[in-house]
Amino acid sequence: MKNRNRLLLLFAGTAALMVFAVCTGPTPLLDFPSLVELMRNGPATPQLQKAALVLWELRLPRVLLAAAAGANLALGGLLLQAVFRNPLAEPYLLGISSGGALGAVLALAAGATATVWPALAGSLVVAGLVLGLCRRRIASDLPSLLLAGVALGALAQAFTTAIIIRFDPGAMRSIIFWLMGSFAGRGWSEVWLLAPAAIAATVAVCIMHRPLDLIAVGGESAHHLGVRVRLVQTAAIALAAILAALTVAACGTIGFVGLMAPHVARRLAGTPHAFSAPASAVVGVAFAVASDLAARTILAGTELPVGVVTGALGCVFFLVLLTRKN
């Protein structure tokens, strides 16, 4: 089957999954005739008003936020796997999520109620430190960049833990829930933060598809073919850092989407980034929406952090990748 046909099928299946996720939850929505009436005449009755409230204020922004977060993390993983030429690379390997968590926890400890911008600042600070430490070695020593990210991420996690234990037990529980990632309690403001970034990043990666294809084969070969390797690598890492930082700021830390989605996308659409970029974004959407649906429905009366679901699936996927690599 041609790549374009596979992309169309993937897009259609993901759209159907998003509709199913919007219609699924503890509060049932309307039947189809009533839903048509709502769309045509608006919330004219108390029943339609309740349905409209659930649809527009709860279900729809939550599903769209999950979709945007999944696309951002998947594109970040695709970029890092290309420039590092490492199938196990993903945004969280650079310590970006740990920096975001530290920024948010510091803001809460200072008495702030909004965590979006502090988390974004923390993520970008860690990404900037990693790039600054290895600024002169990006093209020749990529493992140093990975190790710097791992080290700074561990340091940020240590500071975060030290701050959390100073909170009272009630606040500590809510902070830990946020750190494990969740789409609950978010609204349209978070959707408008992540959705434009996902669309712009998809376009940017498609534009960069040729140099990314050449760098993924080999940096030296790409240089001889006229690619400005260091510039492309820096731009790709910076873009991946921004995407991960925005996602952490809006939703907390959600791991392994950036690891799994690019692998599945390459299986479905092929390795050229002209196809794997949009496919990764769509697979990331499907994975995040399905994980959120499982997190809020798998246990009756209890909602799990979505990071628990993605972590469980990602651990299995990671071990399978390591086994096949060995």
Side-chain angles (χ1 to χ4, degrees):
M1 186 181 293
K2 294 182 178 180
N3 291 338
R4 290 182 180 178
N5 292 337
R6 289 179 176 176
L7 279 175
L8 289 176
L9 286 175
L10 180 62
F11 183 83
T14 303
L17 174 63
M18 292 177 66
V19 173
F20 178 74
V22 168
C23 297
T24 303
T27 302
L29 289 179
L30 301 168
D31 53 26
F32 185 73
S34 299
L35 190 60
V36 172
E37 182 183 350
L38 174 65
M39 299 298 292
R40 294 178 60 182
N41 302 320
T45 66
Q47 184 186 13
L48 293 178
Q49 291 175 2
K50 180 181 178 181
L53 180 65
V54 172
L55 179 64
W56 294 109
E57 300 299 330
L58 298 177
R59 301 276 182 81
L60 192 58
R62 179 167 183 157
V63 171
L64 291 178
L65 179 61
N72 284 340
L73 293 174
L75 289 169
L78 181 73
L79 286 168
L80 294 182
Q81 288 173 18
V83 298
F84 287 116
R85 298 190 295 277
N86 188 329
L88 303 180
E90 69 148 339
Y92 292 88
L93 203 60
L94 292 177
I96 298 167
S97 62
S98 300
L102 178 59
V105 171
L106 279 174
L108 293 173
T113 55
T115 59
V116 171
W117 295 112
L120 180 60
S123 298
L124 293 178
V125 165
V126 171
L129 286 174
V130 173
L131 290 173
L133 286 173
C134 304
R135 185 169 57 89
R136 297 181 178 178
R137 309 177 67 180
I138 288 177
S140 59
D141 196 4
L142 292 174
S144 296
L145 188 59
L146 285 171
L147 292 175
V150 171
L152 288 176
L155 182 64
Q157 287 179 358
F159 279 118
T160 302
T161 304
I163 296 171
I164 287 177
I165 61 176
R166 300 181 64 86
F167 285 87
D168 62 78
M172 187 185 299
R173 184 178 185 279
S174 62
I175 291 172
I176 291 175
F177 194 91
W178 181 88
L179 288 175
M180 298 181 72
S182 175
F183 303 118
R186 276 69 168 180
W188 288 104
S189 59
E190 284 82 5
V191 174
W192 296 127
L193 178 68
L194 295 192
I199 296 171
T202 304
V203 174
V205 178
C206 289
I207 292 173
M208 297 167 61
H209 73 94
R210 184 177 179 274
L212 287 174
D213 288 341
L214 296 175
I215 290 175
V217 174
E220 188 173 350
S221 300
H223 174 72
H224 289 305
L225 291 171
V227 176
R228 299 175 67 181
V229 176
R230 180 173 296 185
L231 176 63
V232 174
Q233 287 175 331
T234 304
I237 294 170
L239 180 56
I242 292 172
L243 293 174
L246 289 173
T247 306
V248 170
C251 313
T253 53
I254 303 171
F256 291 106
V257 178
L259 172 67
M260 291 186 284
H263 287 277
V264 177
R266 283 192 287 265
R267 287 274 185 178
L268 294 174
T271 55
H273 286 83
F275 295 105
S276 62
S280 293
V282 178
V283 171
V285 168
F287 183 57
V289 171
S291 297
D292 180 55
L293 183 61
R296 57 188 169 93
T297 58
I298 195 170
L299 295 178
T302 302
E303 179 170 326
L304 294 171
V306 69
V308 172
V309 179
T310 60
L313 296 174
C315 181
V316 175
F317 191 85
F318 193 85
L319 292 175
V320 170
L321 275 183
L322 284 177
T323 304
R324 296 185 64 181
K325 182 179 173 61
N326 290 333

